[in-house]
Amino acid sequence: MAKTYDYLFKLLLIGDSGVGKTSILFRFSEDAFNISFISTIGIDFKIRTIDLDGKKVKLQIWDTAGQERFRTITTAYYRGSMGIMLVYDVTNEKSFENIKNWIRNIEENASADVEKMILGNKCDLDSKRQVSKERGEQLAIEYQIKFVETSAKDSLNVEYAFFTLARDIKAKMEKKQEASNPAPRTGGHQLRANEQQRKPTSWLSRCSLL
Amino acid sequence: MTNATIQEIEGIDDYWGPAFRSVYEGEGHEAFVQQLDERIKQHDKEIEKLCNFHYQGFIDSIRELLKVRSHAEELHAEISNVDANVKEATESICTRADELIRARRVELNIAATIEKMELCLPLLTTYSKLKTQVEAKRYYPALKTLEQLEHVLLPRVGPYKWCAQIAGDIPRLRQAIQDASMADLRDFLENIRRLSPQVGAMALRQTQDLLGRSLASIVKNKKDMAVLGIAGKEPIGPQCPHELVDFSPLHRCLHIHSVLGAKNDFIQYYRAQRKQQARLVLIPSGNLHDNIQSVKNYLNAVLGFFILEEYLLSAGAGLVSKDWLLDTWSMSVTKVASTLRTNTSLITDPTLMLSIKHQIVLFINTLKCYGLPADPLPLLLQEMAEHYTEVLMQRWVVVFRDILDNASFTPIEVETQDQYDGVMDTFPYEGEELETQPFPRKFPFSSIVPAVYVQVKEFIYAWLKYSAGLGLGGSRRAAAARHSASLLLSRSFTGCLSALFRRPLPLMQLVQIIVDTKYLEDATLCLYEFISNITGSELVTTQTAGSMFQAARDDAEQQICDKLEKKVDEFLDLENYDWLLVEPTGQASSFVTDMLSYLSGVLTSLEQLPERARVAAVRAATNRIATRLRNLLLEPGVRQISSGALHQLDLDVIQCEQFAAGEPVPGLREGELLEHFASLRQLLDLVNGWEWSSYLHDVGIDGGKYALVTPRDAATLLEKLKEAEQKSSVFTVLKKNERDRRKLLDTVLKQLKQLQNQDGS
Ligand SMILES: Nc1nc2c(ncn2[C@@H]2O[C@H](COP(=O)(O)OP(=O)(O)OP(=O)(O)O)[C@@H](O)[C@H]2O)c(=O)[nH]1
Ligand SMILES: [Mg+2]
């Protein structure tokens, strides 16, 4: 039977409650937006297949509850993740400050080579902004993580963020594969040899375009 | 002899014949002629002598005569003169006399004329009076004058031309009066048409005052009057609604027509006209469904119309009969009801409905005062009540939708005592154990529960507003209110819930909805209590709400099942089996372990769900897993399956079976979930255990070890296994036991095919 995908990447969305994790995922998976706030309970996931350099990449994206009381349930999912989106809300200083704590969480619970990305969400709400884009970038550079400001509402940079993260994971995977003996199978994920390594286009240049 | 004869002749005057005969016959002729001659000579001598004697006298006389002649002439001239004088003198007298005669005659004529004229004068003055009366539109007196003119005055005066003219004028005038009075009637009709709404409005206002009158307000009014120094005896303006209208033109017209002998015609005419007016009044001038004023105007006009007719009936002039009035009224009230019905059915504003209802109630009460039957109107009020309920429900649908749209569907958490009390004040929750817990305290239900509860109360308030003033008893009102409230919950709110289910909801929210509906259901008793409190009726406890949200809960449960199945599908879509796997990894596939841990996480978080729902959810999920895994093996897309791959799948199925056996939720029958995997398990065991002889032996026997494996499925899988083996050994020489195995395989396949054909035939 023909395989329905070439790669399966498990991604994780973390960040304070209300920053828009579910909204970002909803935008990415359903291309829709909901103004009402229904806080996530526990954990949920969505799957979307994207095309990366001619490869079918299945993204299984886990959306975690930001609320403290679900922390134990959600941290269990760090381990299996290959990419993590750290989301804060540009209109909420506290959520930005907490990014450091979330990074510590990742360090403690996720595998060391997990790909990360910081998203400053709700950038459409310029009038209520508390965290400047520069501060976001500053923090990202500090941790050597990619950064982009997004708006789930206006569908700004959401696709870009997921594609970038996926592309980075794919690149890292292919690099690792080249280094080690090309084994046909690692864990549940099928990897193909001779995958052409593609450098992701600079996210900075993209961002300034937008 | 001769002498004698002469004497004889002389002696006789006549009769001389005989004398002459004797002369003639005798002889003495000579002697006689001589005697005659002598006699003639004698007479001559005597004449001479006589003439001589008288001559003088004669001359004198002539002279005298001449003298007389001149005198006569003188006299004649004198007389002529006198005569001329007299003639001259008498001429003017004669003219005077003539004049006098003429004047006398004129005088006589004048007297006669005056006499006649005096007879004519009253006729003429009456006639002119008639004219002025007509001009002044005082038709009734005019008509009386006309009568007098016609029957008294005209016959008295002679047959003059002008009398004939007047007489000829009379019918024309009479017609003119009739026409004019008709015109007056029309004016009157026009007038009352204009005034009817005011009449109606006044009557309604009076009823309103009457209804609103209480002892306190009467006392207050009295006091106010005393303060103002008003004795309360001077009525300002009309006191009764009908006094707004001046009926005198109508009565005048009636009198006039009575005089004209056309009273009945007039009454008929009046009624026909009014009936026509009634029809006009019954057509509202605009839409009645967008503002109260148009309804008021409409009802005022109708009411005013009939108040005036009713007044005419009681005035008793015969213009309006009871039958006619009631007949017209019943036609009208039916029309009013149907007009209001059509119009109110379009209304979506409850406040407007209430105002209209109030207006109709007032209308009905006023009708009672005027003795007009209200009949289809109470029914209309009932129908409107239903519509009002509908309208309210539509309103509350919006409210509910709003609540649900903005709901977080998470349990209410309170940080402070105030917040806690806030929830407890709005919703009757008996949570003694919560009372003692430290803050933050968490209610089992979400914010929609108190919100909906409060809204239902609001609805009941609003609903009861309509039934106020309808004269219903408390218990009837309460029963109807209970009915409407349950309808609101079971229909409107449930409708909103089903609408909510149409969009994908997160699992936890679905769970919370199920929990919330339970709490709402339990609270209906408190709602009933509330209803009996505000209607002042006894609490009815026998009527329980039942499970009005069961359908919604079923919906939600179904959604939960669907959701879990979908998640299972998503995981299984991640399946990535290598069907030609040589060696199993010894580890379960990651999609399976992910799925099972996800499921157990979800199932633990479903713990607030009623057991039934959780069991249904876990059943749906496990059944889905089993079906999908089994389909993987049998689906025609997969051509070959190596025994390594089969073992890998077996390993994964074992994971699932462990999950199922671990009773992920309470309330399951022992081993119940495992049954979903039974046919898959038997198929795997059969093929992995290579137990074909016992399978073929037991085929068709109930309760056999592989009873759930159909020959078709067994054949399908075996075929795939054979394909895979052939592929892997295509270039190698088969060992002896492998050749045996191949042979056995073919035999079994043949047998299975046979069985299949038997089944098929
Ligand atoms: N204006 C604006 N609002 C957003 C945006 N993204 C999310 N929101 C709103 O922010 C609120 C929270 O969004 P969620 O996506 O539910 O937040 P979350 O991070 O999933 O929160 P938890 O599930 O509690 O962890 C919602 O009311 C969203 O409509 C955005 O890009 N712009
Ligand atoms: Mg969320």
Side-chain angles (χ1 to χ4, degrees), chain A residues 1 3-5 8 10 36-39 41 43-47 58 60 62 69 77 185 188 190, chain B residues 405 407-410 442 508-509 567 570-571 573-578 590 594 597-598 635 637-638:
Chain A
M1 195 176 79
K3 287 292 161 206
T4 52
Y5 61 90
L8 171 66
K10 295 183 195 175
S36 63
F37 177 31
I38 298 181
S39 191
I41 291 171
I43 191 143
D44 197 7
F45 71 89
K46 286 261 157 36
I47 288 171
K58 236 180 212 220
Q60 183 179 33
W62 293 87
R69 60 193 171 108
Y77 284 82
R185 194 160 277 274
Q190 185 189 12
Chain B
D405 280 349
S408 67
F409 301 104
T410 47
K442 197 162 139 192
M508 288 310 131
Q509 275 70 14
K567 284 293 174 194
E570 281 179 1
F571 277 112
D573 288 343
L574 299 178
E575 158 276 317
N576 198 20
Y577 284 110
D578 175 2
S590 81
D594 281 357
S597 70
Y598 173 78
E635 104 182 282
V638 179

Side-chain angles (χ1 to χ4, degrees), chain B residues 350-421:
Chain B
T351 327
L352 181 59
M353 283 290 280
L354 278 180
S355 313
I356 292 179
K357 174 226 122 192
H358 174 73
Q359 211 57 34
I360 295 176
V361 169
L362 208 57
F363 186 69
I364 291 177
N365 283 323
T366 314
L367 290 180
K368 281 182 193 148
C369 297
Y370 288 92
L372 292 167
D375 223 355
L377 295 175
L379 192 70
L380 171 72
L381 281 178
Q382 265 176 41
E383 288 170 10
M384 278 175 62
E386 281 160 31
H387 181 62
Y388 178 72
T389 313
E390 288 294 325
V391 167
L392 280 190
M393 296 225 281
Q394 275 163 24
R395 279 269 149 131
W396 260 269
V397 161
V398 178
V399 171
F400 288 149
R401 211 175 282 154
D402 205 47
I403 291 177
L404 290 177
D405 280 349
N406 295 312
S408 67
F409 301 104
T410 47
I412 302 177
E413 226 177 80
V414 290
E415 307 275 350
T416 62
Q417 185 67 38
D418 277 357
Q419 287 176 349
Y420 178 81
D421 292 343

